[in-house]
Amino acid sequence: MGSAPDVYAALKKELEGTRAEVLTPGDEGYRESLKRWSEHCVKEAQAVVKVSSPDDVSKTLRFVKDNKIPFVVKGGGHSTSGSSSIADGLVIDLSKLRSVAVDEEKKTIKAGGGTIWEDVDVEAAKYGLATVGGTVNHTGVGGLTLGGGYGYLSGKYGLTIDNLVSVDIVLASGEQVVASETSYPDLFWAVRGAGQNFGVVTAFTFQGYPQPDPVFAGTLVFLPDKIPQIVEFANTFHEKNDGNQALLWGFSAPPPNNAPVVLVQCFHNGPLAEGQAFFADVLSLEPLVNTTSMIPYPQLNSLLNNSAGFDGRKQFGGGAFKLPLSAPFVSSLHTDFASFCTSHERMNESLLLFETIPYAAVTATPNSAMAFSNRGDYYNVATCFKWFDSGLDGEIREFSKGLLKRASEAAGVVGDEKVRSVEGVGVYGNYSNVDVPVAEIFGKNSTKLADLKNKYDPENLFSRGLRLVPRPMVVVN
Ligand SMILES: Cc1cc2nc3c(=O)[nH]c(=O)nc-3n(C[C@H](O)[C@H](O)[C@H](O)COP(=O)(O)OP(=O)(O)OC[C@H]3O[C@@H](n4cnc5c(N)ncnc54)[C@H](O)[C@@H]3O)c2cc1C
């Protein structure tokens, strides 16, 4: 590899005549392009190439391979693991691949590889359609889909990948293919859960569903003394929901008061009277704040946007919990979480979230059907820590791991094989750090994935996401 300026000048030449842009330090737009959802994922890349077509991606991939340049792919830039930023190489930035096209007849939605969920929700709604997208609409379609994807509609339609019809993908070789159940089915199997390790997806085609009516949704805010009643409500939730509801609840100390509260996000895909009746037991607990109302579907995934701003360092962590939960156990998690956050500066916006999204539709598909391996009769629990002092990075990671392990082990979801009560791995890959062992995220699918990695990316070009490595074929004489 020559000096960095020479190499990237050569890449610029390679992409001449296209709409692609190659930005190096000092170029207008370079610094802005390094922005990520979490400040600790902002890294000074040697160059950022904003590709504008699958051909640009193919040329770039061949170029980085020939010149042995490490690279990452950036979709929406929301991962907190740092897997879409790089200090010693190139970013393949997909932000110019933002487009959504709806096929009214097939009810499918085709989204460019750099699209965010707001683009999908808004465009699909023009046709009275919706699909399973993220609950914060500035999140990228790319990373969320390739790692699985949970949303408010998962109770009805399963994961985002369960509704993925096909992907247009550029492989490590630079070859452009369409992967689906009938075209490159083994690649399509791998892409649905471990996609970030297999290529650059330039377009996703999703199945859409009729969603002509508004939905009942909103946030309730309570003081922590209501934890027992909220736990009781969550415990009955999974028996009485019919897949058309979701309940996200958890702990934080958001502005303006910065005092510990319990946040409850309600969702019912139906009319007002039904929603109010379904959530009556929690609505009657006299919340400090109640924003529930009927809203158009595209607004639903913007409700949490304010609590997910772009400032500060952030760290997602994932575990699992089973219902019923005991109120004293939840209160003890709250005490540990709140005292950790209050004993460190400016951590009040951190969140511990119990994502009670009905799982019957998710578990209708077996873990062997796709690379994704987190299907089981349990719910995700997530930490999202937010802080400003880089000196705290390590301590926060360790605390988060310990807290989630405690929640997950108590539920019998992770831990010693003998006490595990479920088949799924109990960890959502999109909430994990890149150093988590592959087997913890892909369980029994790990070996098949390593074989497919050998088939589609033998040189491990896509190596900065989960540490999935190719398993060379054993030649038997
Ligand atoms: C505020 C917030 C809310 C969230 N809510 C949800 C939720 O409701 N449901 C849920 O399931 N998850 C949720 N997540 C987790 C989310 O799924 C992950 O953070 C995901 O990685 C975000 O994708 P991205 O494209 O924005 O991120 P990026 O950081 O750009 O990408 C993440 C990984 O995917 C790769 N990648 C991205 N696009 C492509 C592509 N087109 N082709 C190949 N590789 C690609 C990147 O290289 C990187 O390895 C949330 C995250 C945040 C920060």
Side-chain angles (χ1 to χ4, degrees), residues 53-311:
S53 68
D55 285 350
D56 294 349
V57 177
S58 296
K59 281 183 190 160
T60 306
L61 284 177
R62 289 189 179 118
F63 186 89
V64 292
K65 193 172 160 183
D66 290 349
N67 290 282
K68 299 193 173 15
I69 301 172
F71 71 94
V72 291
V73 178
K74 187 228 164 194
H78 277 57
S79 64
T80 59
S81 64
S83 62
S84 61
S85 47
I86 191 166
D88 57 344
L90 175 81
V91 177
I92 300 180
D93 180 315
L94 304 180
S95 57
K96 288 192 177 200
L97 300 181
R98 263 181 88 169
S99 63
V100 182
V102 174
D103 182 324
E104 274 188 275
E105 208 171 300
K106 293 184 184 152
K107 296 191 173 51
T108 54
I109 303 159
K110 186 165 186 174
T115 311
I116 61 169
W117 282 107
E118 182 181 15
D119 305 334
V120 172
D121 291 344
V122 169
E123 190 60 24
K126 292 180 190 164
Y127 300 85
L129 297 175
T131 192
V132 181
T135 56
V136 172
N137 70 13
H138 49 69
T139 314
V141 169
L144 185 140
T145 303
L146 296 173
Y150 293 83
Y152 288 108
L153 297 182
S154 289
K156 184 84 177 160
Y157 305 119
L159 299 169
T160 304
I161 45 172
D162 298 339
N163 300 290
L164 188 61
V165 178
S166 65
V167 289
D168 297 8
I169 183 168
V170 187
L171 301 175
S173 60
E175 191 187 350
Q176 298 167 25
V177 305
V178 175
S180 69
E181 289 287 2
T182 52
S183 162
Y184 294 86
D186 57 353
L187 176 62
F188 195 50
W189 180 92
V191 159
R192 289 172 293 169
Q196 54 177 264
N197 287 82
F198 282 86
V200 181
V201 175
T202 53
F204 298 87
T205 301
F206 300 105
Q207 188 60 56
Y209 301 94
Q211 181 63 51
D213 301 321
V215 302
F216 173 83
T219 308
L220 310 176
V221 180
F222 297 97
L223 289 176
D225 64 352
K226 294 285 183 355
I227 287 175
Q229 292 95 318
I230 293 164
V231 172
E232 196 181 319
F233 181 77
N235 286 342
T236 53
F237 174 92
H238 87 141
E239 278 154 24
K240 68 176 199 173
N241 81 76
D242 64 6
N244 283 310
Q245 299 80 20
L247 174 73
L248 307 179
W249 55 285
F251 313 133
S252 188
N257 295 334
N258 303 338
V261 290
V262 184
L263 303 170
V264 176
Q265 189 74 15
C266 308
F267 166 67
H268 171 70
N269 201 350
L272 182 71
E274 272 181 29
Q276 287 177 333
F278 186 91
F279 286 99
D281 288 351
V282 78
L283 289 169
S284 66
L285 295 175
E286 294 174 9
L288 304 173
V289 176
N290 176 356
T291 70
T292 55
S293 66
M294 294 304 289
I295 53 170
Y297 178 81
Q299 206 179 314
L300 175 67
N301 290 323
S302 72
L303 295 181
L304 294 172
N305 285 7
N306 277 348
S307 49
F310 278 72
D311 59 327

Side-chain angles (χ1 to χ4, degrees), residues 341-408:
C341 293
T342 47
S343 62
H344 295 83
E345 263 187 42
R346 297 179 73 194
M347 285 197 66
N348 55 292
E349 287 185 77
S350 299
L351 189 64
L352 173 62
L353 193 64
F354 297 86
E355 301 181 342
T356 321
I357 296 177
Y359 50 68
V362 173
T363 53
T365 301
N367 280 309
S368 58
M370 305 170 195
F372 185 86
S373 303
N374 191 31
R375 300 175 199 268
D377 57 349
Y378 54 81
Y379 301 94
N380 289 331
V381 56
T383 50
C384 181
F385 284 99
K386 176 171 173 180
W387 70 102
F388 292 82
D389 173 3
S390 60
L392 294 176
D393 293 4
E395 189 185 347
I396 288 170
R397 272 192 63 191
E398 283 314 303
F399 177 76
S400 174
K401 261 200 233 167
L403 193 75
L404 291 164
K405 192 164 174 250
R406 198 148 80 78
S408 306

